[in-house]
Amino acid sequence: MRRIYYLLLSGVVFSLTAGWYLASGRPASVLAEQHKRSLSVPPLTPQQQAEGEFQQLQQKIEQSPQDSVLWAQLGEYYLFNDNFADAQVAYQRALALRGANAELYSALATVLYYQAGQRITPQVESNIEQALTLDKDEVSALMLLAADAFMHTEYAKAITLWQRLLDSQSPRVNRPQLIEAVNMAKLLLHQQ
């Protein structure tokens, strides 16, 4: 008998609670919010964001085709997407518009380096030399030379180049990462 009493009491409490909830208007607002969420645009994926940024960059270049900075940004976009042929064209266009520039020569050298299967060809070397003539401590040029030396087990050369970068005090240098690279090269040098 007590069991039936508790069941009836539970039913009454549930009915009162449900009635109060329905009367509060809350279910309608919950349904409205769910409907609103179902209509909202889902967040963009990183690829979609990059494509949107790429389209915006193309539009800016169409509006200002003589802007070397935009062409350099386009080259960077292509480089990071492993589209070396288009990156090369974009960087060459930026150089043609801006004139001699150490960072652009280094960027072009990087593109050519990867295009050549991570080899320093005469064309890569020429662009590095032009960059270093304009700025003896050009970060990207020295990083490319150091990375290539490290990859070819020329650890002493890599250490010298990385130390040169550390000594330059350039804000473009990731000091902790470079110190770690120097330490790794020293370890490998002692194991040879």
Side-chain angles (χ1 to χ4, degrees), residues 53-61 70 73-74 77:
E53 291 169 6
F54 175 66
Q55 289 172 350
Q56 288 176 348
L57 182 57
Q58 284 181 318
Q59 289 171 351
K60 288 179 183 177
I61 289 173
L70 294 175
Q73 289 172 352
L74 183 62
Y77 174 85

Side-chain angles (χ1 to χ4, degrees), residues 90-112:
Y91 281 130
Q92 286 172 332
R93 177 71 177 181
L95 269 168
L97 292 169
R98 189 180 302 174
N101 178 279
E103 287 182 32
L104 289 175
Y105 281 124
S106 293
L108 186 55
T110 301
V111 168
L112 296 170

Side-chain angles (χ1 to χ4, degrees), residues 6-8 10 16-17 46 49 53 72 77 87 104 122 129 136 140 142 152-153 160 165 167 183-184 188 190:
Y6 285 122
L7 285 174
L8 286 173
S10 296
L16 287 172
T17 305
Q49 288 175 343
E53 291 169 6
Y77 174 85
L104 289 175
E129 286 174 9
K136 68 180 179 59
S140 297
L142 294 174
H152 290 97
T153 67
T160 300
L165 282 165
D167 294 343
N183 290 336
M184 175 62 77
L188 292 170
H190 293 307

Side-chain angles (χ1 to χ4, degrees), residues 1-13:
M1 193 61 143
R2 276 186 146 188
R3 189 170 185 198
I4 293 174
Y5 172 74
Y6 285 122
L7 285 174
L8 286 173
L9 184 61
S10 296
V12 169
V13 170

